[in-house]
Amino acid sequence: MRRLAFALALLAFVLFAGCAVTDYPFVEDQRGDYQGLVRTAHKAYIVPSAQIATVYPDGSDELFSMVLQNQYGDQTLYTFNNFDPTGSVLFLDQTYCDWKYDGCEIVRAWNPRQNDDPFDYEFFGDCSGARSLSLLVDYETRVGECGDNIFAGDPQAKARLFANLDTTTWRGGSAYVIPLRPNNFWVTLTDPQGHTEWAPVYGEFNLLLTERLQLVAPVTPNVRHEITWVNAWIAAHGNKARVWMAYRGVQGWIDVTFRPDGLTYNAGRF
């Protein structure tokens, strides 16, 4: 899965979904004469394609994932929540690659080197952020970990896709205004048997994308209608789908597994 495809998927589903990484490629490195698998020794923060915060009346959730890999390539993946009770959206700062997060994991996924189900996981519903979890994500290509980001570079350059968008200010910096409308954003869902349906876009959604690829998405009442449609699709086709989306001439796809419980919880908040 390409980075661009995943970024587009975030736009599609951040409206009502928090994501957990349940499958991740091998963590590899090259130092001197050695090239191959590395033992992380501790959890490593998976650098997201975009940081996302879903804003609720009682605060904001920002789900993030970490990977722990042994010398054989077997992994355990964890998903946590960076909760801000003020709702002012204080994004997780990984400038110093802090891995010592001891909060409660929402998801723990065992990802062995062989014979792995990419969407098997343990769910801990009492943990902060569990309400936001609606998607499980299988990375086909490595995104990068904090301190070893294979997509290092100017964050502004990564957002050139949105150069034709209007801008506004966000906490002293600039941010892109991303308007999602039925006439500029298209989504299809395809089940494992190949049946494809167009997903409707109800009303208007206005997101903000900062220069650091941090995405702010207010959870508005329109989300309820999107979730109702997706839950009906799940009832008819199951909870696994390939999601294709196109936004202003750019398109991509991602394979996901939906969590109906998480979707239903968020639909019931409106």
Side-chain angles (χ1 to χ4, degrees), residues 245-259:
M245 66 293 297
Y247 180 71
R248 294 195 170 184
V250 179
Q251 60 182 318
W253 58 266
I254 183 176
D255 289 326
V256 302
T257 293
F258 295 104
R259 286 196 65 258

Side-chain angles (χ1 to χ4, degrees), residues 13 119 135-137 239-243 254-258:
F13 292 103
F119 293 113
L135 282 180
L136 307 176
V137 177
N239 66 338
K240 297 183 185 299
R242 170 162 292 186
V243 182
I254 183 176
D255 289 326
V256 302
T257 293
F258 295 104

Side-chain angles (χ1 to χ4, degrees), residues 174-218:
S174 62
Y176 295 97
V177 180
I178 304 177
L180 301 185
R181 308 285 188 267
N183 63 353
N184 68 9
F185 187 55
W186 298 271
V187 183
T188 65
L189 273 64
T190 302
D191 67 18
Q193 287 71 45
H195 177 82
T196 298
E197 289 189 23
W198 290 91
V201 177
Y202 294 105
E204 301 180 353
F205 301 91
N206 293 301
L207 315 182
L208 293 180
L209 180 68
T210 73
E211 294 177 343
R212 299 183 64 182
L213 293 183
Q214 296 169 328
L215 191 63
V216 182

Side-chain angles (χ1 to χ4, degrees), residues 78-89:
Y78 304 86
T79 298
F80 302 100
N81 183 37
N82 174 33
F83 177 66
D84 175 12
T86 70
S88 59
V89 190

Side-chain angles (χ1 to χ4, degrees), residues 10 13 19 54 70 77 87 101 103 114 144 155-156 162 175 202 210 221 264:
L10 296 179
F13 292 103
C19 300
T54 48
N70 66 20
L77 299 162
Y101 186 87
Q114 296 178 329
Q156 184 68 28
F162 306 105
Y202 294 105
T210 73
T264 301

Side-chain angles (χ1 to χ4, degrees), residues 25-162:
F26 299 133
V27 179
E28 298 179 317
D29 203 354
Q30 181 174 355
R31 295 189 177 97
D33 295 332
Y34 176 79
Q35 180 176 358
L37 297 171
V38 296
R39 177 176 175 269
T40 61
H42 53 69
K43 299 182 187 72
Y45 174 77
I46 297 176
V47 178
S49 294
Q51 288 182 267
I52 305 168
T54 48
V55 184
Y56 298 92
D58 63 344
S60 60
D61 291 347
E62 179 199 358
L63 304 193
F64 64 96
S65 295
M66 292 188 173
V67 55
L68 175 65
Q69 178 174 292
N70 66 20
Q71 65 269 33
Y72 306 110
D74 300 323
Q75 299 174 345
T76 305
L77 299 162
Y78 304 86
T79 298
F80 302 100
N81 183 37
N82 174 33
F83 177 66
D84 175 12
T86 70
S88 59
V89 190
L90 299 177
F91 283 104
L92 188 70
D93 185 356
Q94 277 294 319
T95 302
Y96 300 103
C97 299
D98 184 12
W99 55 270
K100 297 179 181 179
Y101 186 87
D102 57 1
C104 176
E105 66 256 32
I106 306 163
V107 166
R108 184 191 304 138
W110 171 236
N111 187 33
R113 183 171 182 174
Q114 296 178 329
N115 303 320
D116 177 46
D117 176 355
F119 293 113
D120 59 338
Y121 69 104
E122 295 178 83
F123 176 66
F124 302 95
D126 294 333
C127 295
S128 170
R131 64 179 179 180
S132 293
L133 180 63
S134 300
L135 282 180
L136 307 176
V137 177
D138 170 15
Y139 274 103
E140 293 182 3
T141 57
R142 183 175 164 215
V143 179
E145 304 76 48
C146 188
D148 190 27
N149 183 3
I150 62 175
F151 293 102
D154 180 7
Q156 184 68 28
K158 300 173 187 175
R160 285 173 184 164
L161 168 65
F162 306 105

